[in-house]
Amino acid sequence: MTKRTKIIAIANQKGGVGKTTTVVNLAAALARKSRTVLVVDLDPQANATGGLGLEKEDGVSIYPVLLGNAEIADVIQPTAYDNLNIIPSEVDLAGAEIEIARREDHLSVIREALAPVRESGVLDYILLDCPPSLGIVMTSSLAAADGVLVPMQAEFLAMEGLGLITNLLEQLRAGANPDLELNGILLTMVNMVATQTKDVIAMVKEKFGDRVYDTTIPRNVRTSEAPSYGQPVIHYDPTCKGAVAYRAFAKEFIARTPTRFTETPSVTQEVSEVKSQENEISEVKLSSEAEISSSATEPETPTQEPVTSHDQVS
Ligand code: ADP
Ligand code: MG
């Protein structure tokens, strides 16, 4: 059973491919399945911050933490959703590229900034919403991550871009982060009616095999509307196609990216424990129920508190 929090960088140097939409909705869907999640908005555009209903605020971002001027616990903000926290972005983050580049340890700055939260063990997932460039913030995000999740559109041109990011991944594996995995490729804004869609999906699958998620995210108007209401689409319109797809994706993501939560003993194991340890019945029953319902019916009632206080994090 691992205690480690999984850090996943959501990256693609191309803008407008669905990175932020994926971060916001994957985070919300994971939180709804009782996983504790921290989103880190690393894009000065602050779309993940807005998409989760927060306003930009001076000094409240990863930036002062990277500079050593703030503690990470001070910049973690709760959202309106249980289990879902965010380190927002701010305009200053645009300066981070230059500032970090000057430092000798530039590849490890994000890893080090996140270390206290990761080591606290209270989180299941940290999702890094990367800016759309192959710059230093994206590179040090990948250096900090266990896995990289690449959203891409089902277009022939997008295949070239995929090469750039997999090259970067190889470089990091050869140096700063030998354990970095390609968590997966998620096809976004899929329009099955377009003639190239199926061909592109087949090509990506041929090249990347099981690294391509079975779930694809359809192009969906409600999904594009949700950010202007500061809500993940899974809350804005839970039954629309985009919401259904992101929930299915979260389920597939959890199976592929286990944490201490998903690695709790199986239900059958727990049931046999109940027989031998009558006095612990209520506790064991609770956790096995949570496990059953989170995989089958997706509970609305989360079991963990947002990570906001100093004590929990540091
Ligand atoms: P990125 O973070 O890669 O720049 P975004 O997630 O911000 O991309 O998405 C770019 C634009 O496309 C946004 O306006 C977003 O609302 C829209 N969008 C993203 N996913 C979908 C989807 N599945 N259906 C329709 N519009 C989408
Ligand atoms: Mg974005």
Side-chain angles (χ1 to χ4, degrees), residues 19-20 43 47 129-130:
K19 288 183 292 296
T20 300
D43 188 342
N47 294 334
D129 189 18
C130 293

Side-chain angles (χ1 to χ4, degrees), residues 252-311:
E252 212 188 338
F253 176 85
I254 288 172
R256 183 175 290 197
T257 323
T259 64
R260 67 205 156 91
F261 189 105
T262 21
E263 288 180 5
T264 51
S266 71
V267 172
T268 42
Q269 239 175 306
E270 287 186 12
V271 169
S272 58
E273 270 175 34
V274 171
K275 282 182 189 144
S276 59
Q277 301 174 352
E278 290 291 324
N279 54 341
E280 283 177 24
I281 274 185
S282 57
E283 203 184 327
V284 178
K285 215 173 140 194
L286 248 183
S287 62
S288 61
E289 269 171 10
E291 200 51 24
I292 294 166
S293 51
S294 71
S295 55
T297 56
E298 304 185 352
E300 292 287 356
T301 41
T303 54
Q304 286 151 308
E305 290 296 308
V307 192
T308 49
S309 83
H310 243 303
D311 313 345

Side-chain angles (χ1 to χ4, degrees), residues 174-228:
N177 190 358
D179 299 329
L180 179 62
E181 286 179 353
L182 176 61
N183 174 277
I185 295 169
L186 175 68
L187 289 143
T188 58
M189 292 182 246
V190 168
N191 170 11
M192 280 299 179
V193 182
T195 48
Q196 59 176 333
T197 304
K198 283 186 179 137
D199 292 343
V200 174
I201 293 178
M203 276 169 71
V204 180
K205 284 199 165 153
E206 200 181 303
K207 189 143 192 268
F208 294 96
D210 70 355
R211 292 294 88 193
V212 185
Y213 276 97
D214 287 330
T215 310
T216 60
I217 310 297
R219 187 171 282 283
N220 172 254
V221 174
R222 304 295 274 169
T223 303
S224 60
E225 283 171 9
S228 27

Side-chain angles (χ1 to χ4, degrees), residues 99-111:
E99 202 78 46
I100 303 171
R102 278 203 204 116
R103 293 172 49 168
E104 231 166 79
D105 62 343
H106 60 265
L107 274 182
S108 59
V109 282
I110 292 183
R111 178 190 290 267

Side-chain angles (χ1 to χ4, degrees), residues 35-117:
R35 270 66 176 182
T36 41
V37 185
L38 173 67
V39 167
V40 186
D41 189 348
L42 292 164
D43 188 342
Q45 300 229 354
N47 294 334
T49 303
L52 284 169
L54 277 85
E55 304 265 343
K56 282 190 265 191
E57 200 183 313
D58 285 349
V60 184
S61 74
I62 193 103
Y63 190 56
V65 183
L66 298 179
L67 298 183
N69 296 334
E71 295 292 326
I72 192 155
D74 296 335
V75 294
I76 295 176
Q77 306 292 307
T79 65
Y81 310 100
D82 286 323
N83 305 324
L84 180 45
N85 306 278
I86 181 169
I87 297 180
S89 173
E90 59 172 324
V91 184
D92 270 0
L93 207 54
E97 286 277 334
I98 303 157
E99 202 78 46
I100 303 171
R102 278 203 204 116
R103 293 172 49 168
E104 231 166 79
D105 62 343
H106 60 265
L107 274 182
S108 59
V109 282
I110 292 183
R111 178 190 290 267
E112 272 157 30
L114 295 175
V117 208

